[in-house]
Amino acid sequence: MPISLSRKFQQWVSAKLDLPEDVIMDIPRITMIGHLHLYIENHSGLLSFSPEEIRVLLKHNHGQMIIKGKDFVIKTILPEELLLEGTIEMVKFIKE
Amino acid sequence: MNNDKIRKLSGFVTLKVTGSGGERFINALIREGISVWNIARLEKEVLSMQVLVRDHAQIRDVATEYLIHVEILDRSGLPAFLQRVKSQWGFIIGIILGLGLLYFLSNIIWHVEIRGASPELEYKLMKQLRELGVYEGGLKFLVDDPQALQKTLTSLNEEITWIGVENDGTAFFFQVVEKERPEVEGPEPPRHLVAKKEAVIVDYFVEKGEPVISINQFVKPGQILVSGLIGQEDAPEVVSAKGKVWGKTWYKSEAQVKMKAKTERLSGNKYEKRFLQIGSLRIPIAGMTFADYNNKEVNEVIQRLKILDWQLPLAFVEQTVYELETVELKYTEDEARKLAIEIAQKDVLKDLSTDAKIVNHKILHERMENDTFKISILFDVVEDIAVEQMIR
């Protein structure tokens, strides 16, 4: 299980060196400003998008993220970043 | 945001993207390194998004691959703005031309006015001004500034004492003060000089005629001082006697001074009030104070509001209230005498010509009466006593 071993090593480095996990492990980092903005780093693509719901695929098998709310507009989308604007009501993670 | 500025400068378009799998299309675009922003879903299979103009062709390629229809909804940013401006070129040119015309017209001299000059001088000045570029229809920026113009005109015309040059917008005003030429006197009629009042001759200066007086002589009014008849007695020549005869004359004057006087003067305390006057109603605006003086002097400046020549029933009133204080003056007898003499002197001189001089004074009588100092003085005055009298 080489993947699992490398993951364990990363976790160990992160813990020992007191580094944030998202830097070492490409874990998605989500920043919210109230219910107005949601900023996702380390996503890997849009799955579905509508004014009420957005699904985003996360990197490295971290699963999907579902955000529900109203009046969604994607303000910016870059290969690893996404800025969502609207009224955010719910954020949900789905592990695959 | 810097990003935003780049977008605006290079121009961007709003696209309408129709087709299923809009999300996959977006993923493909960002994988290609195309920046996409403001994505919103308009309908079930319709998205709107904004992209840079320069990415448009590449987006078309990707769209064909993903079976997506792309349509431009709107163009924004600087290139689009310029294009819009280009289509309204005529309008812009019109504005620029209009401003240019306004500037040009405001630099034309519309009015030249010369005041205070005689018709011939006015004509001459107008001619000179035309050479200097000041004429109706001339261009203002080709004309020197008023000071230089004033200098030139003064040096060009000897008959001008002073010329005021005023440039008020598109009009030029010239205020001329002409030199007064001494009037050419015609031949003077033959005359004597006679005394106008009783006097003792002090000095005389005769330009023309035969003096018939001597110094220290007492003369009576009407007595001939300088005769207009010269030469031999049997065949006299008639001239217009001219000269000055200084005679000592006497005037009696009386004056009185109150030993105690009350006068009012400003104490230096003041306050200011401002009103808005509507009709005859005054509304205080500023300077509300409860300070009030027993004795005061009020100075008012009323500024009436005008629209062109039409008087509005509105006015600003600026009031300055000064406090008056009562001062009691007390004189000693010496001071009272001095003051009384001064008053009497002024009283005498005010009726005489300006070259009359008081040479001496003698106090005839003085007394104190009910706190009032009364004095009567005799003044010795030296003045020109000669008046002309025609020879018939």
Side-chain angles (χ1 to χ4, degrees):
Chain A
M1 300 266 255
I3 295 165
S4 168
L5 262 179
S6 89
R7 177 66 45 96
K8 280 224 165 110
F9 174 71
Q10 282 175 346
Q11 274 173 351
W12 179 83
V13 168
S14 168
K16 289 292 165 192
L17 297 181
D18 205 14
L19 286 167
E21 288 177 325
D22 59 310
V23 175
I24 306 281
M25 291 152 70
D26 279 350
I27 284 175
R29 177 194 174 99
I30 291 123
T31 316
M32 274 183 83
I33 299 161
H35 60 274
L36 303 169
H37 283 114
L38 189 132
Y39 186 65
I40 308 165
E41 282 162 90
N42 289 329
H43 76 84
S44 68
L46 209 54
L47 288 172
S48 77
F49 169 64
S50 78
E52 285 82 33
E53 191 195 79
I54 178 165
R55 279 168 182 257
V56 179
L57 191 65
L58 301 174
K59 270 187 175 175
H60 300 296
N61 294 326
H62 283 292
Q64 286 177 24
M65 207 182 147
I66 301 170
I67 302 133
K68 287 190 176 180
K70 272 184 246 162
D71 310 324
F72 283 166
V73 171
I74 299 170
K75 286 311 270 185
T76 317
I77 182 162
L78 295 169
E80 295 192 334
E81 290 164 41
L82 189 153
L83 177 64
L84 184 74
E85 194 187 80
T87 312
I88 294 143
E89 287 169 354
M90 191 201 88
V91 179
K92 191 176 172 186
F93 288 92
I94 302 172
K95 266 277 186 189
E96 267 175 343
Chain B
M1 219 198 258
N2 220 1
N3 224 350
D4 200 47
K5 270 178 197 157
I6 293 166
R7 284 168 184 175
K8 277 183 179 156
L9 273 176
S10 54
F12 59 92
V13 287
T14 308
L15 296 178
K16 186 177 165 191
V17 174
T18 319
S20 58
E23 292 85 355
R24 277 186 298 125
F25 174 59
I26 291 164
N27 288 336
L29 288 180
I30 59 175
R31 238 177 287 127
E32 296 275 333
I34 296 165
S35 52
V36 184
W37 65 94
N38 278 347
I39 305 165
R41 191 171 281 282
L42 302 176
E43 283 165 46
K44 195 158 182 274
E45 294 205 330
V46 184
L47 287 170
S48 82
M49 59 174 78
Q50 290 182 324
V51 295
L52 289 175
V53 171
R54 62 157 186 250
D55 293 334
H56 186 237
Q58 209 180 345
I59 290 164
R60 290 258 176 213
D61 291 346
V62 180
T64 342
E65 205 179 305
Y66 281 80
L67 299 171
I68 288 225
H69 179 71
V70 175
E71 202 182 316
I72 293 174
L73 282 181
D74 193 19
R75 291 169 192 276
S76 329
L78 188 67
F81 173 74
L82 287 178
Q83 207 159 23
R84 233 169 282 159
V85 165
K86 234 183 217 171
S87 66
Q88 290 163 343
W89 210 223
F91 184 65
I92 306 268
I93 287 175
I95 289 177
I96 292 167
L97 276 183
L99 286 174
L101 190 69
L102 190 70
Y103 177 74
F104 179 73
L105 287 179
S106 65
N107 268 301
I108 281 182
I109 300 162
W110 289 101
H111 187 60
V112 178
E113 197 176 317
I114 297 175
R115 293 181 200 136
S118 60
E120 57 259 52
L121 182 63
E122 194 175 323
Y123 178 74
K124 192 175 153 198
L125 278 174
M126 277 290 187
K127 226 168 151 187
Q128 286 167 353
L129 285 173
R130 178 165 273 277
E131 272 165 36
L132 291 168
V134 184
Y135 55 92
E136 281 166 23
L139 290 175
K140 210 170 86 179
F141 48 75
L142 297 178
V143 174
D144 293 340
D145 60 295
Q147 277 100 323
L149 216 56
Q150 185 176 25
K151 228 174 165 180
T152 321
L153 286 173
T154 318
S155 62
L156 275 176
N157 299 288
E158 275 200 344
E159 59 269 54
I160 292 177
T161 306
W162 178 84
I163 184 161
V165 181
E166 196 189 332
N167 175 16
D168 184 10
T170 59
F172 273 89
F173 297 100
F174 297 91
Q175 182 74 46
V176 180
V177 178
E178 272 186 74
K179 273 183 192 155
E180 269 180 42
R181 295 251 180 85
E183 273 175 43
V184 183
E185 286 175 33
E188 285 163 336
R191 65 190 180 194
H192 297 301
L193 290 181
V194 299
K196 61 180 166 192
K197 45 187 105 174
E198 265 183 18
V200 170
I201 306 299
V202 175
D203 198 2
Y204 56 87
F205 169 73
V206 177
E207 241 179 272
K208 258 185 201 167
E210 183 78 33
V212 291
I213 40 160
S214 54
I215 287 172
N216 288 334
Q217 188 188 339
F218 177 80
V219 291
K220 282 186 174 155
Q223 190 177 336
I224 293 174
L225 303 172
V226 181
S227 171
L229 302 170
I230 58 172
Q232 280 144 348
E233 242 173 82
D234 45 341
E237 201 183 325
V238 188
V239 293
S240 170
K242 205 170 172 188
K244 288 208 164 176
V245 180
W246 300 100
K248 195 193 254 181
T249 50
W250 304 272
Y251 295 93
K252 198 177 147 192
S253 182
E254 274 169 21
Q256 44 183 300
V257 172
K258 279 194 174 150
M259 298 300 280
K260 275 185 202 163
K262 271 187 186 173
T263 55
E264 284 177 330
R265 69 176 183 201
L266 302 178
S267 71
N269 294 330
K270 62 169 184 178
Y271 62 87
E272 282 173 7
K273 271 179 166 178
R274 286 191 175 81
F275 300 95
L276 181 66
Q277 185 172 311
I278 304 168
S280 57
L281 180 73
R282 282 187 172 182
I283 302 161
I285 306 170
M288 239 87 68
T289 175
F290 295 104
D292 206 5
Y293 307 131
N294 290 334
N295 226 337
K296 61 193 174 186
E297 194 174 291
V298 180
N299 191 0
E300 260 186 14
V301 179
I302 301 178
Q303 272 183 317
R304 297 190 186 282
L305 297 183
K306 264 186 177 179
I307 293 181
L308 296 175
D309 271 345
W310 186 51
Q311 180 84 54
L312 292 179
L314 282 175
F316 277 114
V317 182
E318 225 180 286
Q319 243 185 24
T320 315
V321 181
Y322 298 96
E323 188 187 26
L324 287 176
E325 60 182 11
T326 313
V327 186
E328 215 163 280
L329 293 172
K330 259 188 183 172
Y331 297 112
T332 62
E333 210 176 303
D334 274 353
E335 283 169 341
R337 186 178 296 116
K338 223 173 139 187
L339 197 67
I341 292 170
E342 266 174 44
I343 293 168
Q345 264 182 1
K346 272 183 199 160
D347 198 39
V348 166
L349 286 177
K350 107 189 150 200
D351 294 332
L352 300 177
S353 66
T354 46
D355 52 3
K357 254 187 272 172
I358 289 174
V359 288
N360 200 7
H361 71 261
K362 202 159 121 195
I363 295 166
L364 299 177
H365 183 69
E366 60 176 51
R367 69 177 188 281
M368 196 74 98
E369 200 175 82
N370 294 336
D371 264 357
T372 306
F373 185 82
K374 288 189 175 175
I375 197 166
S376 96
I377 315 169
L378 187 73
F379 289 103
D380 292 354
V381 179
V382 170
E383 60 178 316
D384 185 10
I385 54 162
V387 283
E388 291 139 12
Q389 192 186 56
M390 299 294 167
I391 303 171
R392 269 163 289 181

